[in-house]
Amino acid sequence: MEVDRVQAIASLSKQIDTIPLEFIRSENEQPAITTLHGVVLEVPVIDLSDSDEEKLVELIAGASKKWGIFQVVNHGIPDEAISKLIEVGKEFFELPKEEKEIIAKTPESGIEGYGTSLQKEIDGKKGWVDHLFHRIWPPSAINYKYWPKNPPSYRKANEEYAEKLRDVSDKLFKYLSIGVGLEGHEMKAASGGDDLIYMMKINYYPPCPRPDLALGVVAHTDMSSLTILVPNEVQGLQVFRDGYWYDVKYIPNALIIHIGDQIEILSNGKYKAVLHRTTVNKEKTRMSWPVFLEPPPEHEVGPISKLVNEENPSKYKSKKFKDYVYCKLNKLPQ
Ligand code: OGA
Ligand code: NI
């Protein structure tokens, strides 16, 4: 099936200085109108190497309750591993179209593969972005069919990043558990334990002649438990707070952590999934590498029973993660 990639549309649009109508957002979404300019949101920055664990718990739990997003520095992932990940992903997206289409999504491949959101949003609009999805952990969940073969170092770079990311992920789950009075292992266990799936996504946002009118990824909360994101140097992530959209100030080599829907549910609403979206840039290509830490499809997620009592009745239904995803993607009530 022939699909129009945003990358191809972008190179055509460049010559005519305009964009197809389906990318032009309604006025209540256009970034030029809806962004609070002149303020850059400084989301909490947390030093993960701090030996004072109590302090870390307090900072992480505080940020997750109030913001649903924070950045971590001194996270233990070498800069080299991050720059490698960025380099090989960029190389893949710069390959000729035919080479990328080899690993294109098909109706059978599910979420994995190279793609463009085919499903238009409710108002028929599209995001200015192409993507690639593939699982990177655990080994039993990996399907190398959807990993680029080119550049040849793609696999090694992603495996090394996944390996390092596991320590960060385990730490975050531990501090989030303790932060709501649970034992260290409970939040991860409730997200699937060692079967927790690490889903890599690469977002590729080509330059856009009208960044004032288009969006990359439309406003959403992530379906994951947690999302750990690395961006390239081009700003574009925005967070919704107090009725406005704000640009998030990115700190080089930090990891951006999003609280996703599943942690909000597990914590019975104590932690908040962050509402976010992305803008695009007139001259530069923006890219980002979120890894979604997700429960396995059959794993049931609901508020952790220790967090439910008379004063805090259960706010969410318990359901299998795959059913949650189905409802969310089809815009059905949960
Ligand atoms: C996403 C997302 C943010 C970014 O892909 O879910 O929110 O910075 N991406 O690209
Ligand atoms: Ni997201």
Side-chain angles (χ1 to χ4, degrees):
M1 183 180 48
E2 189 66 13
V3 181
D4 279 340
R5 302 302 178 194
V6 175
Q7 198 171 7
I9 297 167
S11 46
L12 286 173
S13 308
K14 209 164 138 188
Q15 289 140 29
I16 48 177
D17 223 28
T18 177
I19 55 174
L21 192 59
E22 60 199 4
F23 292 98
I24 300 179
R25 295 282 154 182
S26 64
E27 289 198 350
N28 60 5
E29 278 192 299
Q30 287 177 15
I33 306 177
T34 55
T35 301
L36 197 62
H37 293 283
V39 207
V40 179
L41 204 61
E42 304 207 8
V43 308
V45 178
I46 300 172
D47 180 349
L48 215 53
S49 69
D50 199 321
S51 56
D52 185 348
E53 285 210 338
E54 247 172 66
K55 185 171 142 206
L56 275 178
V57 166
E58 204 180 296
L59 290 172
I60 289 176
S64 305
K65 286 174 187 168
K66 187 166 165 223
W67 297 73
I69 184 170
F70 52 95
Q71 306 190 43
V72 294
V73 293
N74 299 324
H75 39 64
I77 303 187
D79 293 353
E80 162 91 16
I82 295 180
S83 42
K84 265 293 191 196
L85 177 80
I86 291 182
E87 192 183 304
V88 295
K90 189 163 170 273
E91 275 181 56
F92 170 73
F93 274 91
E94 286 170 356
L95 291 174
K97 176 178 163 64
E98 302 71 46
E99 285 236 29
K100 292 187 292 254
E101 297 293 346
I102 295 172
I103 55 167
K105 271 184 210 197
T106 60
E108 302 78 49
S109 70
I111 193 171
E112 289 187 284
Y114 170 62
T116 306
S117 273
L118 287 180
Q119 188 194 4
K120 287 190 184 175
E121 293 156 30
I122 295 172
D123 58 359
K125 297 297 176 190
K126 285 182 171 176
W128 193 263
V129 61
D130 295 322
H131 59 241
L132 169 66
F133 274 107
H134 58 75
R135 299 193 186 94
I136 55 170
W137 193 262
S140 59
I142 292 177
N143 196 339
Y144 286 112
K145 205 165 113 185
Y146 300 109
W147 291 40
K149 297 269 178 303
N150 204 354
S153 53
Y154 187 91
R155 177 162 164 174
K156 187 158 176 269
N158 275 262
E159 284 177 343
E160 280 181 5
Y161 182 69
E163 174 77 41
K164 301 275 188 268
L165 200 59
R166 286 164 53 213
D167 288 339
V168 179
S169 157
D170 285 352
K171 271 192 187 167
L172 293 172
F173 274 110
K174 177 175 152 196
Y175 298 142
L176 286 166
S177 294
I178 301 173
V180 283
L182 298 168
E183 284 172 40
H185 68 279
E186 288 183 277
M187 204 62 105
K188 181 175 168 187
S191 282
D194 288 338
D195 295 327
L196 185 76
I197 289 170
Y198 289 52
M199 177 69 84
M200 167 65 77
K201 181 187 187 194
I202 306 182
N203 287 304
Y204 184 89
Y205 306 96
C208 177
R210 296 302 305 267
D212 52 330
L213 304 179
L215 281 177
V217 180
V218 69
H220 67 285
T221 56
D222 291 347
M223 287 186 270
S224 57
S225 291
L226 287 177
T227 305
I228 305 182
L229 182 143
V230 169
N232 73 348
E233 72 291 349
V234 183
Q235 303 278 341
L237 178 62
Q238 293 194 327
V239 162
F240 192 72
R241 264 186 92 73
D242 312 324
Y244 293 98
W245 286 99
Y246 294 85
D247 291 315
V248 173
K249 182 168 162 196
Y250 168 65
I251 296 175
N253 297 317
L255 300 173
I256 301 178
I257 315 297
H258 294 175
I259 297 294
D261 296 344
Q262 307 312 308
I263 290 277
E264 177 169 326
I265 296 169
L266 290 173
S267 70
N268 199 27
K270 286 202 160 66
Y271 294 137
K272 299 280 182 292
V274 63
L275 186 61
H276 59 286
R277 70 178 187 185
T278 54
T279 58
V280 290
N281 189 284
K282 197 168 166 70
E283 278 95 30
K284 296 183 198 145
T285 297
R286 178 167 190 270
M287 290 184 73
S288 67
W289 287 256
V291 173
F292 301 102
L293 307 180
E294 301 176 343
E298 301 290 337
H299 188 82
E300 190 160 307
V301 178
I304 293 178
S305 55
K306 281 189 193 167
L307 303 178
V308 177
N309 51 43
E310 247 172 61
E311 292 112 82
N312 301 291
S314 173
K315 291 187 183 153
Y316 308 85
K317 273 192 211 152
S318 294
K319 57 164 74 177
K320 288 183 176 172
F321 182 61
K322 67 171 188 193
D323 295 331
Y324 186 89
V325 171
Y326 180 84
C327 291
K328 183 132 171 173
L329 293 180
N330 291 289
K331 302 187 169 62
L332 300 168
Q334 290 292 348

